[in-house]
Amino acid sequence: MEENKNVSKKDWKRIFKKKWFFPALYLTVAALLISGVLWYQNAANQVPDLAQDMKNQLEENQSGPDANDHEDAEPVMQQQEVLELPVAEDLQVEIVTKFYDYAADEATQEQGLILHQNRYQQSDGIAISTEDQQVFDVMAAFTGTVTEVKNDPLLGNVIKMEHEHGVTTYYASLGEVLVEQGAELKQGQTIGTAGQNSLGQENGVHVHFEVRKDGVPVNPESFINKPINEIIAPEASEESNEEDAPADEREEDTTDDSETEEESDNEREEEDDAAEEENSPSSSSSMENA
């Protein structure tokens, strides 16, 4: 064993003494170092590419069907804007004049009449006031555009706003006007203050508020906290009710008409028969004998 060890040591010494040994060793080490550097650079370059691939994949996912659903969600949320009274939520108010509803009972209709110069006029909106008769802020009931600002001899300062789905709102009896024509307002934004006017003088400090659908006045109280697309004019509502009437009711009406026509025809036939009998020869001879 000792001889083998001595032999191996001598072999290594011989190899070390060779002229090519150290250059070969240096080249081998250099090759390993270069390979390591190249591998590191390749790995470093692959990291940004991997990150870019992940980013592209996320963008593709966001631009897919889910992204369309997300984009469509914003208009849906906007459609959920509901009608609010044109006053602050924490303000204690009362409706001192109601909307004149032709379909309401007599007592309710009386609450929708306005006395002016010893004459009663039907209210196309509601008058909102406070118990202490203090001035309060008037706010936009819907998001929309101010299309008219004017001063009326009877109504006082008036603001008209246009909204989606053919809905317009009117704010009259304003004391101070804080917006101009053409202004784009958000729901709840202050447009002026409550004041007084000649037509509703008995109401004191108040705001006269109207809602119209395609130019037809509707009862604001009927649509409070309802979406703007559910506001329907009375005429359209009556037509839809007639169209939605059960088919059996329409058939019954038709049957009644046909039965009435048949009865009238039978009566006319009986009258004709009676006339013929009176004009017959037998009847005339009997009359002569008499």
Side-chain angles (χ1 to χ4, degrees), residues 187-220:
Q187 184 181 44
Q189 186 172 347
T190 302
I191 63 175
T193 60
Q196 301 185 46
N197 61 5
S198 298
L199 185 60
Q201 190 172 3
E202 293 184 354
N203 294 328
V205 176
H206 72 285
V207 58
H208 177 80
F209 176 57
E210 294 184 15
V211 178
R212 300 192 180 192
K213 169 68 175 180
D214 297 328
V216 180
V218 301
N219 188 356

mmCIF file of all heavy atoms in Angstrom, residues 187-220:
data_model
loop_
_atom_site.group_PDB
_atom_site.id
_atom_site.type_symbol
_atom_site.label_atom_id
_atom_site.label_comp_id
_atom_site.label_asym_id
_atom_site.label_seq_id
_atom_site.Cartn_x
_atom_site.Cartn_y
_atom_site.Cartn_z
ATOM 1 N N GLN A 187 -76.317 64.944 -8.822
ATOM 2 C CA GLN A 187 -77.428 64.815 -7.879
ATOM 3 C C GLN A 187 -76.977 65.251 -6.485
ATOM 4 O O GLN A 187 -75.924 64.865 -6.014
ATOM 5 C CB GLN A 187 -77.923 63.372 -7.843
ATOM 6 C CG GLN A 187 -79.142 63.165 -6.970
ATOM 7 C CD GLN A 187 -79.580 61.712 -6.942
ATOM 8 O OE1 GLN A 187 -78.754 60.811 -6.808
ATOM 9 N NE2 GLN A 187 -80.879 61.475 -7.066
ATOM 10 N N GLY A 188 -77.808 66.082 -5.845
ATOM 11 C CA GLY A 188 -77.481 66.568 -4.514
ATOM 12 C C GLY A 188 -76.691 67.852 -4.485
ATOM 13 O O GLY A 188 -76.451 68.404 -3.405
ATOM 14 N N GLN A 189 -76.287 68.364 -5.649
ATOM 15 C CA GLN A 189 -75.540 69.622 -5.690
ATOM 16 C C GLN A 189 -76.503 70.788 -5.490
ATOM 17 O O GLN A 189 -77.597 70.825 -6.056
ATOM 18 C CB GLN A 189 -74.804 69.759 -7.024
ATOM 19 C CG GLN A 189 -73.887 70.964 -7.104
ATOM 20 C CD GLN A 189 -73.032 70.955 -8.361
ATOM 21 O OE1 GLN A 189 -72.944 69.928 -9.052
ATOM 22 N NE2 GLN A 189 -72.418 72.066 -8.666
ATOM 23 N N THR A 190 -76.095 71.768 -4.681
ATOM 24 C CA THR A 190 -76.952 72.909 -4.368
ATOM 25 C C THR A 190 -77.129 73.797 -5.591
ATOM 26 O O THR A 190 -76.163 74.169 -6.251
ATOM 27 C CB THR A 190 -76.365 73.727 -3.211
ATOM 28 O OG1 THR A 190 -76.211 72.881 -2.064
ATOM 29 C CG2 THR A 190 -77.283 74.875 -2.844
ATOM 30 N N ILE A 191 -78.393 74.146 -5.898
ATOM 31 C CA ILE A 191 -78.683 74.989 -7.052
ATOM 32 C C ILE A 191 -79.217 76.349 -6.632
ATOM 33 O O ILE A 191 -79.243 77.277 -7.441
ATOM 34 C CB ILE A 191 -79.702 74.312 -7.985
ATOM 35 C CG1 ILE A 191 -81.042 74.107 -7.267
ATOM 36 C CG2 ILE A 191 -79.161 72.995 -8.506
ATOM 37 C CD1 ILE A 191 -82.131 73.545 -8.159
ATOM 38 N N GLY A 192 -79.676 76.471 -5.378
ATOM 39 C CA GLY A 192 -80.201 77.739 -4.907
ATOM 40 C C GLY A 192 -80.769 77.596 -3.509
ATOM 41 O O GLY A 192 -80.474 76.631 -2.797
ATOM 42 N N THR A 193 -81.577 78.577 -3.101
ATOM 43 C CA THR A 193 -82.203 78.553 -1.777
ATOM 44 C C THR A 193 -83.710 78.745 -1.921
ATOM 45 O O THR A 193 -84.188 79.317 -2.904
ATOM 46 C CB THR A 193 -81.625 79.660 -0.872
ATOM 47 O OG1 THR A 193 -81.876 80.937 -1.482
ATOM 48 C CG2 THR A 193 -80.127 79.464 -0.667
ATOM 49 N N ALA A 194 -84.441 78.254 -0.947
ATOM 50 C CA ALA A 194 -85.900 78.422 -0.944
ATOM 51 C C ALA A 194 -86.254 79.878 -0.690
ATOM 52 O O ALA A 194 -85.559 80.590 0.044
ATOM 53 C CB ALA A 194 -86.522 77.528 0.112
ATOM 54 N N GLY A 195 -87.366 80.314 -1.305
ATOM 55 C CA GLY A 195 -87.793 81.697 -1.147
ATOM 56 C C GLY A 195 -89.305 81.794 -1.179
ATOM 57 O O GLY A 195 -90.009 80.856 -0.789
ATOM 58 N N GLN A 196 -89.811 82.888 -1.649
ATOM 59 C CA GLN A 196 -91.247 83.125 -1.719
ATOM 60 C C GLN A 196 -91.618 83.590 -3.119
ATOM 61 O O GLN A 196 -90.778 84.137 -3.840
ATOM 62 C CB GLN A 196 -91.674 84.175 -0.685
ATOM 63 C CG GLN A 196 -91.359 83.812 0.754
ATOM 64 C CD GLN A 196 -91.906 84.828 1.737
ATOM 65 O OE1 GLN A 196 -93.051 85.253 1.635
ATOM 66 N NE2 GLN A 196 -91.085 85.228 2.699
ATOM 67 N N ASN A 197 -92.899 83.365 -3.482
ATOM 68 C CA ASN A 197 -93.402 83.847 -4.758
ATOM 69 C C ASN A 197 -94.848 84.298 -4.604
ATOM 70 O O ASN A 197 -95.467 84.116 -3.548
ATOM 71 C CB ASN A 197 -93.268 82.781 -5.849
ATOM 72 C CG ASN A 197 -94.067 81.533 -5.529
ATOM 73 O OD1 ASN A 197 -94.796 81.460 -4.548
ATOM 74 N ND2 ASN A 197 -93.916 80.520 -6.373
ATOM 75 N N SER A 198 -95.405 84.864 -5.646
ATOM 76 C CA SER A 198 -96.769 85.412 -5.581
ATOM 77 C C SER A 198 -97.816 84.306 -5.633
ATOM 78 O O SER A 198 -98.847 84.382 -4.965
ATOM 79 C CB SER A 198 -96.985 86.397 -6.730
ATOM 80 O OG SER A 198 -96.089 87.485 -6.626
ATOM 81 N N LEU A 199 -97.566 83.261 -6.444
ATOM 82 C CA LEU A 199 -98.574 82.218 -6.621
ATOM 83 C C LEU A 199 -98.776 81.408 -5.351
ATOM 84 O O LEU A 199 -99.908 81.101 -4.981
ATOM 85 C CB LEU A 199 -98.171 81.301 -7.770
ATOM 86 C CG LEU A 199 -99.189 80.231 -8.150
ATOM 87 C CD1 LEU A 199 -100.499 80.866 -8.584
ATOM 88 C CD2 LEU A 199 -98.642 79.340 -9.261
ATOM 89 N N GLY A 200 -97.710 81.067 -4.665
ATOM 90 C CA GLY A 200 -97.817 80.279 -3.441
ATOM 91 C C GLY A 200 -97.523 81.097 -2.208
ATOM 92 O O GLY A 200 -96.795 80.652 -1.305
ATOM 93 N N GLN A 201 -98.066 82.277 -2.162
ATOM 94 C CA GLN A 201 -97.759 83.212 -1.074
ATOM 95 C C GLN A 201 -98.164 82.646 0.285
ATOM 96 O O GLN A 201 -97.499 82.889 1.293
ATOM 97 C CB GLN A 201 -98.468 84.539 -1.330
ATOM 98 C CG GLN A 201 -98.032 85.668 -0.394
ATOM 99 C CD GLN A 201 -98.626 87.004 -0.811
ATOM 100 O OE1 GLN A 201 -99.419 87.072 -1.769
ATOM 101 N NE2 GLN A 201 -98.250 88.059 -0.120
ATOM 102 N N GLU A 202 -99.243 81.865 0.337
ATOM 103 C CA GLU A 202 -99.691 81.307 1.609
ATOM 104 C C GLU A 202 -98.696 80.305 2.186
ATOM 105 O O GLU A 202 -98.699 80.058 3.389
ATOM 106 C CB GLU A 202 -101.047 80.626 1.415
ATOM 107 C CG GLU A 202 -102.179 81.582 1.085
ATOM 108 C CD GLU A 202 -103.508 80.876 0.989
ATOM 109 O OE1 GLU A 202 -103.506 79.619 1.070
ATOM 110 O OE2 GLU A 202 -104.536 81.544 0.846
ATOM 111 N N ASN A 203 -97.840 79.732 1.350
ATOM 112 C CA ASN A 203 -96.864 78.740 1.814
ATOM 113 C C ASN A 203 -95.628 79.371 2.445
ATOM 114 O O ASN A 203 -94.788 78.651 2.994
ATOM 115 C CB ASN A 203 -96.439 77.833 0.656
ATOM 116 C CG ASN A 203 -97.584 76.972 0.160
ATOM 117 O OD1 ASN A 203 -98.458 76.583 0.936
ATOM 118 N ND2 ASN A 203 -97.584 76.679 -1.140
ATOM 119 N N GLY A 204 -95.490 80.680 2.356
ATOM 120 C CA GLY A 204 -94.319 81.334 2.932
ATOM 121 C C GLY A 204 -93.049 80.916 2.207
ATOM 122 O O GLY A 204 -93.012 80.790 0.977
ATOM 123 N N VAL A 205 -91.970 80.714 2.973
ATOM 124 C CA VAL A 205 -90.694 80.284 2.386
ATOM 125 C C VAL A 205 -90.818 78.816 1.987
ATOM 126 O O VAL A 205 -91.060 77.940 2.839
ATOM 127 C CB VAL A 205 -89.537 80.481 3.381
ATOM 128 C CG1 VAL A 205 -88.243 79.946 2.781
ATOM 129 C CG2 VAL A 205 -89.393 81.949 3.745
ATOM 130 N N HIS A 206 -90.657 78.521 0.716
ATOM 131 C CA HIS A 206 -90.807 77.149 0.227
ATOM 132 C C HIS A 206 -90.130 77.022 -1.134
ATOM 133 O O HIS A 206 -89.675 78.022 -1.718
ATOM 134 C CB HIS A 206 -92.288 76.779 0.105
ATOM 135 C CG HIS A 206 -92.985 77.468 -1.027
ATOM 136 N ND1 HIS A 206 -93.346 78.805 -0.978
ATOM 137 C CD2 HIS A 206 -93.375 77.019 -2.249
ATOM 138 C CE1 HIS A 206 -93.939 79.147 -2.109
ATOM 139 N NE2 HIS A 206 -93.966 78.074 -2.906
ATOM 140 N N VAL A 207 -90.078 75.803 -1.635
ATOM 141 C CA VAL A 207 -89.649 75.548 -3.009
ATOM 142 C C VAL A 207 -90.749 74.755 -3.695
ATOM 143 O O VAL A 207 -91.293 73.795 -3.134
ATOM 144 C CB VAL A 207 -88.305 74.792 -3.068
ATOM 145 C CG1 VAL A 207 -88.380 73.456 -2.333
ATOM 146 C CG2 VAL A 207 -87.890 74.545 -4.528
ATOM 147 N N HIS A 208 -91.116 75.202 -4.872
ATOM 148 C CA HIS A 208 -92.103 74.489 -5.686
ATOM 149 C C HIS A 208 -91.335 73.550 -6.610
ATOM 150 O O HIS A 208 -90.517 73.980 -7.426
ATOM 151 C CB HIS A 208 -92.947 75.467 -6.498
ATOM 152 C CG HIS A 208 -93.921 74.791 -7.409
ATOM 153 N ND1 HIS A 208 -95.122 74.284 -6.957
ATOM 154 C CD2 HIS A 208 -93.861 74.521 -8.742
ATOM 155 C CE1 HIS A 208 -95.773 73.741 -7.976
ATOM 156 N NE2 HIS A 208 -95.032 73.872 -9.068
ATOM 157 N N PHE A 209 -91.600 72.243 -6.499
ATOM 158 C CA PHE A 209 -90.819 71.214 -7.204
ATOM 159 C C PHE A 209 -91.731 70.429 -8.139
ATOM 160 O O PHE A 209 -92.766 69.920 -7.721
ATOM 161 C CB PHE A 209 -90.168 70.278 -6.180
ATOM 162 C CG PHE A 209 -89.416 69.132 -6.786
ATOM 163 C CD1 PHE A 209 -88.389 69.349 -7.695
ATOM 164 C CD2 PHE A 209 -89.722 67.821 -6.431
ATOM 165 C CE1 PHE A 209 -87.689 68.286 -8.252
ATOM 166 C CE2 PHE A 209 -89.025 66.754 -6.969
ATOM 167 C CZ PHE A 209 -88.010 66.982 -7.879
ATOM 168 N N GLU A 210 -91.329 70.358 -9.413
ATOM 169 C CA GLU A 210 -92.092 69.618 -10.412
ATOM 170 C C GLU A 210 -91.199 68.578 -11.093
ATOM 171 O O GLU A 210 -90.003 68.808 -11.293
ATOM 172 C CB GLU A 210 -92.663 70.553 -11.480
ATOM 173 C CG GLU A 210 -93.701 71.528 -10.969
ATOM 174 C CD GLU A 210 -94.299 72.363 -12.092
ATOM 175 O OE1 GLU A 210 -94.109 71.980 -13.271
ATOM 176 O OE2 GLU A 210 -94.940 73.386 -11.796
ATOM 177 N N VAL A 211 -91.818 67.458 -11.479
ATOM 178 C CA VAL A 211 -91.160 66.417 -12.280
ATOM 179 C C VAL A 211 -92.047 66.152 -13.488
ATOM 180 O O VAL A 211 -93.266 65.967 -13.347
ATOM 181 C CB VAL A 211 -90.968 65.116 -11.478
ATOM 182 C CG1 VAL A 211 -90.326 64.039 -12.357
ATOM 183 C CG2 VAL A 211 -90.112 65.371 -10.249
ATOM 184 N N ARG A 212 -91.452 66.161 -14.675
ATOM 185 C CA ARG A 212 -92.214 65.908 -15.893
ATOM 186 C C ARG A 212 -91.545 64.816 -16.711
ATOM 187 O O ARG A 212 -90.325 64.737 -16.801
ATOM 188 C CB ARG A 212 -92.340 67.190 -16.723
ATOM 189 C CG ARG A 212 -93.053 68.312 -15.972
ATOM 190 C CD ARG A 212 -93.438 69.449 -16.865
ATOM 191 N NE ARG A 212 -94.120 70.513 -16.133
ATOM 192 C CZ ARG A 212 -94.767 71.508 -16.700
ATOM 193 N NH1 ARG A 212 -94.840 71.590 -18.012
ATOM 194 N NH2 ARG A 212 -95.369 72.428 -15.954
ATOM 195 N N LYS A 213 -92.398 63.990 -17.323
ATOM 196 C CA LYS A 213 -91.944 62.925 -18.209
ATOM 197 C C LYS A 213 -92.445 63.230 -19.611
ATOM 198 O O LYS A 213 -93.663 63.255 -19.854
ATOM 199 C CB LYS A 213 -92.488 61.575 -17.729
ATOM 200 C CG LYS A 213 -92.308 60.434 -18.716
ATOM 201 C CD LYS A 213 -90.838 60.056 -18.891
ATOM 202 C CE LYS A 213 -90.746 58.824 -19.787
ATOM 203 N NZ LYS A 213 -89.357 58.399 -19.993
ATOM 204 N N ASP A 214 -91.512 63.516 -20.527
ATOM 205 C CA ASP A 214 -91.868 63.908 -21.902
ATOM 206 C C ASP A 214 -92.838 65.081 -21.902
ATOM 207 O O ASP A 214 -93.790 65.130 -22.697
ATOM 208 C CB ASP A 214 -92.473 62.720 -22.662
ATOM 209 C CG ASP A 214 -91.479 61.574 -22.806
ATOM 210 O OD1 ASP A 214 -90.277 61.859 -22.910
ATOM 211 O OD2 ASP A 214 -91.917 60.409 -22.796
ATOM 212 N N GLY A 215 -92.622 66.037 -20.980
ATOM 213 C CA GLY A 215 -93.430 67.242 -20.908
ATOM 214 C C GLY A 215 -94.710 67.112 -20.117
ATOM 215 O O GLY A 215 -95.419 68.103 -19.930
ATOM 216 N N VAL A 216 -95.040 65.902 -19.654
ATOM 217 C CA VAL A 216 -96.285 65.687 -18.905
ATOM 218 C C VAL A 216 -95.978 65.689 -17.409
ATOM 219 O O VAL A 216 -95.127 64.907 -16.961
ATOM 220 C CB VAL A 216 -96.944 64.359 -19.300
ATOM 221 C CG1 VAL A 216 -98.235 64.132 -18.512
ATOM 222 C CG2 VAL A 216 -97.219 64.333 -20.802
ATOM 223 N N PRO A 217 -96.638 66.530 -16.606
ATOM 224 C CA PRO A 217 -96.370 66.546 -15.157
ATOM 225 C C PRO A 217 -96.765 65.224 -14.508
ATOM 226 O O PRO A 217 -97.800 64.632 -14.832
ATOM 227 C CB PRO A 217 -97.251 67.696 -14.649
ATOM 228 C CG PRO A 217 -97.568 68.521 -15.846
ATOM 229 C CD PRO A 217 -97.610 67.579 -16.997
ATOM 230 N N VAL A 218 -95.931 64.753 -13.591
ATOM 231 C CA VAL A 218 -96.214 63.544 -12.813
ATOM 232 C C VAL A 218 -96.103 63.890 -11.331
ATOM 233 O O VAL A 218 -95.502 64.898 -10.955
ATOM 234 C CB VAL A 218 -95.250 62.389 -13.171
ATOM 235 C CG1 VAL A 218 -95.346 62.046 -14.642
ATOM 236 C CG2 VAL A 218 -93.805 62.753 -12.812
ATOM 237 N N ASN A 219 -96.686 63.055 -10.503
ATOM 238 C CA ASN A 219 -96.661 63.278 -9.064
ATOM 239 C C ASN A 219 -95.285 62.898 -8.505
ATOM 240 O O ASN A 219 -94.930 61.714 -8.507
ATOM 241 C CB ASN A 219 -97.745 62.452 -8.382
ATOM 242 C CG ASN A 219 -97.884 62.790 -6.907
ATOM 243 O OD1 ASN A 219 -97.121 63.587 -6.358
ATOM 244 N ND2 ASN A 219 -98.850 62.189 -6.260
ATOM 245 N N PRO A 220 -94.490 63.856 -8.040
ATOM 246 C CA PRO A 220 -93.155 63.507 -7.527
ATOM 247 C C PRO A 220 -93.195 62.507 -6.378
ATOM 248 O O PRO A 220 -92.319 61.654 -6.259
ATOM 249 C CB PRO A 220 -92.585 64.860 -7.078
ATOM 250 C CG PRO A 220 -93.365 65.881 -7.844
ATOM 251 C CD PRO A 220 -94.730 65.309 -8.006
#
